[in-house]
Amino acid sequence: MKLTRRLSIRGVTLLLLLALLLSACEGRGGDEANGESTTVAELPAEPVELTGEAIVYLVGPLSGGHAEKGQAQVAGARLAAHELNQRGGLLGREIIIRPVNDRGTLEGTLDAAAEVQRAADAGDELAGVVVFEGSDPQLTAVQESYLGDALGASPLVVSPVSTEPERQALEQTRFFRLSAPHLEQASEIAAMVLEAGLEDAAVVHSANAYGEALRSGFEDAAQAFGLEAVSTFAIDPDANSHAGVVEQVQALNPSALIYAGGDLEAAVFFGELFGFEFQGSVFGTERAQSYAVVDELGCQAEGMNFASPLPGPSTVFEANQLAGFAELTGRNAEPYAVAGYAAVELIVEAYQRAGTLAGEAAANALRGAQASTVMGELAFDEAGNVSNPAMHLFQVEGREFTHRRSRPVGEVPQQQADNGAASGPLLARDFAADAAPLVFAGLDWDSASFSNTVARFIVESAFDIPTRSEPGSSVPLFQSLRRGDLDIYMETWLPNSQELFESALAAGQIVDLGLNYGDVAQGWYVPRYLVEGGGAQAPELRSVEDLPRYADLFRPEGANVAQLLDGSPGWFSYKINCMKLRAYRLDGRFAQFTTGSEAALFERLSAAYEAEEPVLAYLFEPTWPIAGLDLVRLEEPDFTPECWEGDKRCAFPPSQVHIAVAADLPERAPEVSAFLEAFSLQADDISESLLLSTEQEIPIEEAALRWLENNQEVWSAWLSDEAAERVQQALAEQ
Amino acid sequence: MKRVIAPLLTLLLVAGVGVAIYISVRDQQRTVSEPEPPPEPITVTVISAIAAEPWVRSAAEAFNAEERTVEGREVTIEVIGEGGLSALNRWARGEFDEVPTAWIAESRAWIEQANEAALERVGQDIFLAGGRYRAQPVALSPLVWGIWEDAYGTLAAHFGSEQISWREMHEAAEQGSWEAIGGSPEYGSFKLVIAHPRRDPAGLTAMVGAAGAFYDKPGVSASELRAPEFLDWLSVKLDTVVDFSPFGAENMLLFGRSNGDAGQILESYLLTQMEDLEARWDQPLRIVYPDPIAWFDFPYGVYMGPETSAAEKEAALAFKEFLLTSEQQAVALEHGLRPACAECPSDGGLIARWDSVGVAVNVPSASRMRAASRSGLDALTEWYVSTYEE
């Protein structure tokens, strides 16, 4: 009996489990096959429990030059209302969004206010007004219309983009601002510059109140953050040319260019600046974040950075919200949709907390409190400003603004990581007490780490001079070398840095100690298995001209265009690849696929290679994929300076990598200078060592030491016999 | 016995329930898992300015041949050629059986006018100036002076300059005859060709270009366009027009100097006609660029109304991107249009072919006229009607 019962219980359990398992399995399979998700528009439209209305007016530019912002804001508000109505509306009332067009003008603002007034007079249940004031007179009109007693109602008034300092200083009890004051863009851009490892910046600003305020903000932030050199230039917003300032910026050749001004003058200024191939990083304030700039600059706009108080919709909305947005509004979301959404969320939150439809009570409930919105947990001070705003960084990628990251305003910037470069001496030994360390440029790419380690080890062991490495990127470190803050720069890539290099030489700020290694290539590569052998899928693919015939091979399933794997939009080569795609007339069939970094580029390439899939990638020597993977560089027309100055419809120039040192180094350390003059590596050796580092997962520095151990005949030729012996001794002690 | 039967019955009952759940879910999943119909294709209807239509149509064919998709749905582009003023009226009134997805107007001025006209009806702009959906130029073509070679020789000799612009035309018009400026008396009076301002966008655009020359600046306000001193100055030239036909440029090329000695003509039209001209006439038509110079910039605007879905708007953007690819911009050159993309060269196609008659590869952008406001264009139109049609 017990056995029977046990059997029966086990049987029931087993059968139930079996049934549930089968159901679950089929359920999952079905979902995958179906691929559907619930969207907002599919939810019940009018919940029966809502009674009455709570009206929110969206007053903004629905026509004119900023209509895209006003319309996106309304669309965002509609999505918020739609979603919130599913959850009970505003205190049980249906939230109704009423857009009013202020045309972006003072006259329009007054007309809009009159319209709201008429509605209030007619008995509309006015819960909130979302405003979009663009000028001081408009703000005054907003204040007089919605924040006084004129309406006979006391709605909550929210401005998502009120960033003028004087507006933030307003202490109206029912007026809330969602964004940080625009001065914060100055400090946030300065922080971003610092975090990018850039140490010298030129600030170009419009000669108006906005530009002057931000210029002042940059100078303060630069001082606070220790940015070493900041130069400022004013441009006339109404001028047709800014050639004078462009010339000065070119002469300065800063590692970062910070722009604070309107989009129209930005298009003119950058058009002229990029005519000379400015290679530094560019940062702009929100007003310059405009497609007018992108359209004007084309490929040269790739990699430009912009600070904005609003995040990108795809980073804050869920996929089903984005789909719901599209269904509800007939368009896809843009950043101001986030502002409209958050404003409605905030209004509803305030009333919910107050538990009453009285605007004053709702405002009191919000002031000094925190509210959860699509823009995050926003805390409000007593004046109605967000006390914990964030700033968002957008980067131009493929002619679109891509949200890169967000950071809380006021967060202390982190200096760029050292990228593994040692900051102190390599050798654990006591150097002479009076021996000042020689400072190497800790350039942030792998071959430079290799060159540096080889050179530093020899300097320390052969000449008993300590060394250290200063991490950073190429342009700022080169500027440090010019200023005498660095001693040795092992990899000056020519012709990439030709102008910079030659101007420093001409000014007597540096000394050229000759070639480190030369004739290294960069270009577009494919695996050899793709073009050679019995199973080759592209047997006649030899040059970039052949790519159109094989575009389908490199086109992922479901995509319209093929992929060229590339690194970061911040790379100068990224712009060049963009121009090459245009010049070869491939841009309709191929697009750059942004991996974001050298490591990600190599990883994606190697994954495709291992799977023997077709892949096309931008690569450069010396790197481990060149050494470790069997790749073929696609032919291009021969490089000529004329082509390079034009549309770049030719091969990258073969690069020559020079060693540059501070002007006084030959006098201060003649033996080191003589050694560096003799120093010469082979690109293949570097590639092999980088491959070793990758395959054996050892630091590049260790791979460099192994190279020293195995190549005594190479490096000993750079040194006297005694010095070489000391190096050998040090290697033996490792 | 009962003690054995009861658990067994329970077992059977629960097992039955389990199997029933399984069958129910399985059947449900079978229903869901049935092959889904292919995603509905998207058709994008693009109204194109007549001057750009041959190029846009060829691009649409190339686009459609590639079977491109948006959100997994195949996109087909349909192109409808329609002059700007006619299209403008339809946008303004919303008179479409099926609302088009996008509009390539001749110039930004028509887009702005359509917005203003539609504003009262829909309460917001139907085409945007900024953001992802912005109206963006996809090709360019300036309004140039097309001057018969011997007329050009006379003008250049008289004014001592190869640069002939509105001011020189004004002086010649004031003189009244070719003989008065040193030309052959057989050519009679001085005759300009200006397109019909109410039937061809080139007419109003030319008049705005004249205002730029009068005020010597690339942007003019509505009040400047209304100013009597400007209109008096303008009428000196317009008085020389033999016939404000909607086919003014065509007639000039067809009938030669008897119809017009010089005309404000769209460069792309002239370039596509140049070969025929050479065959028909014993002298070429010299192309001269006014300063400042009015342009058609063929803005591609995506209609933002609710009648089209987000996916359709996205597909319209995909076609715009396609038009801006270097390959399609090169095709535009073959149609006499200039590229609008930042990196695309102008020195190809018909631009390169006709440099012998004065075609310039580079036309300074600094001298480009900005679009006039709707009220300014309305004022010009009203003045034209009252002066020349009533």
Side-chain angles (χ1 to χ4, degrees), chain A residues 8 12 15 19 22 26 30 34 62-64 68 71 291 295 298-299 330 332 334 560 582 585 587-589, chain B residues 11 14-15 18 22 26 29 36 68-69 124-125 130 132-134 136 304 313-314 324-327 330 343:
Chain A
S8 68
V12 168
L15 279 168
L22 286 166
E26 297 227 351
N34 194 2
L62 306 180
S63 63
E68 83 280 4
Q71 291 188 18
Y291 283 98
D295 293 344
C299 291
N332 287 321
E334 296 192 77
N560 287 317
R582 287 270 195 203
R585 293 190 186 166
D587 53 325
R589 298 163 199 267
Chain B
L11 174 68
V14 174
Y22 164 67
R26 188 196 60 186
Q29 294 304 329
E36 286 185 51
R68 292 185 175 228
T69 58
Q124 63 179 34
D125 279 356
R132 286 189 69 237
Y133 297 108
R134 69 200 175 282
Q136 185 181 2
M304 294 309 295
K313 291 181 176 82
E314 213 57 37
L324 285 166
T325 61
S326 50
E327 197 167 1
E343 287 86 9

Side-chain angles (χ1 to χ4, degrees), chain A residues 233-470:
Chain A
F233 304 93
I235 57 171
D236 175 1
D238 298 322
N240 286 329
S241 168
H242 308 294
V245 171
V246 166
E247 208 171 290
Q248 292 178 69
V249 171
Q250 280 292 324
L252 191 68
N253 208 350
S255 49
L257 177 74
I258 298 167
Y259 177 84
D263 59 344
L264 295 179
E265 56 263 39
V268 175
F269 172 75
F270 285 115
E272 291 176 328
L273 183 74
F274 286 136
F276 300 95
E277 290 202 345
F278 177 72
Q279 293 189 24
S281 299
V282 177
F283 297 81
T285 52
E286 191 235 352
R287 288 190 188 176
Q289 185 184 341
S290 155
Y291 283 98
V293 175
V294 176
D295 293 344
E296 178 69 25
L297 301 183
C299 291
Q300 296 285 5
E302 297 294 320
M304 289 176 82
N305 305 284
F306 294 93
S308 169
L310 295 175
S314 58
T315 58
V316 295
F317 286 130
E318 302 288 338
N320 66 332
Q321 285 183 296
L322 289 170
F325 186 97
E327 283 182 53
L328 269 178
T329 66
R331 62 179 73 194
N332 287 321
E334 296 192 77
Y336 276 78
V338 178
Y341 188 100
V344 172
E345 275 186 310
L346 197 67
I347 289 168
V348 173
E349 174 80 11
Y351 285 103
Q352 294 289 138
R353 285 184 185 202
T356 166
L357 254 183
E360 292 290 351
N364 286 335
L366 202 55
R367 280 186 295 137
Q370 254 186 292
S372 179
T373 75
V374 70
M375 291 170 71
E377 285 286 328
L378 298 180
F380 289 89
D381 63 17
E382 291 296 320
N385 294 311
V386 175
S387 56
N388 62 341
M391 201 57 76
H392 310 276
L393 179 71
F394 288 79
Q395 189 172 46
V396 179
E397 178 192 347
R399 295 183 289 283
E400 292 292 341
F401 295 101
T402 303
H403 186 149
R404 284 280 176 246
R405 62 176 189 158
S406 305
R407 69 194 308 281
V409 166
E411 187 180 85
V412 178
Q414 301 293 311
Q415 292 266 14
Q416 192 188 39
D418 203 346
N419 294 317
S423 57
L426 288 178
L427 296 182
R429 67 156 68 162
D430 292 329
F431 292 95
D434 59 345
L438 290 177
V439 186
F440 279 68
L443 295 159
D444 54 358
W445 59 84
D446 290 350
S447 62
S449 298
F450 180 86
S451 291
N452 270 2
T453 306
V454 170
R456 291 179 61 198
F457 190 90
I458 291 174
V459 169
E460 291 185 6
S461 56
F463 309 118
D464 199 30
I465 297 174
T467 69
R468 69 180 178 84
S469 170
E470 186 72 31

Side-chain angles (χ1 to χ4, degrees), chain B residues 9-157:
Chain B
L9 282 175
T10 309
L11 174 68
L12 284 170
L13 184 65
V14 174
V17 169
V19 169
I21 291 171
Y22 164 67
I23 290 169
S24 160
V25 172
R26 188 196 60 186
D27 289 349
Q28 196 181 344
Q29 294 304 329
R30 272 189 187 155
T31 308
V32 173
S33 305
E34 279 172 6
E36 286 185 51
E40 199 180 330
I42 297 172
T43 300
V44 170
T45 311
V46 181
I47 302 275
S48 170
I50 301 293
E53 185 195 348
W55 167 58
V56 176
R57 201 172 282 284
S58 79
E61 283 169 14
F63 185 96
N64 293 341
E66 292 187 9
E67 298 180 351
R68 292 185 175 228
T69 58
V70 164
E71 297 172 11
R73 298 164 65 184
E74 192 173 326
V75 179
T76 303
I77 307 295
E78 285 181 1
V79 179
I80 300 169
E82 186 168 7
L85 297 178
S86 160
L88 169 61
N89 285 331
R90 293 216 289 158
W91 284 114
R93 295 176 194 142
E95 287 175 352
F96 292 102
D97 291 336
E98 202 162 316
V99 181
T101 331
W103 180 27
I104 303 174
E106 283 81 357
S107 109
R108 204 173 286 272
W110 311 128
I111 295 267
E112 287 172 12
Q113 286 205 62
N115 273 338
E116 287 196 42
L119 191 56
E120 286 173 24
R121 187 167 52 84
V122 299
Q124 63 179 34
D125 279 356
I126 54 175
F127 299 102
L128 297 175
R132 286 189 69 237
Y133 297 108
R134 69 200 175 282
Q136 185 181 2
V138 289
L140 305 170
S141 193
L143 270 176
V144 298
W145 288 113
I147 311 172
W148 294 108
E149 185 69 29
D150 52 7
Y152 174 73
T154 305
L155 288 168

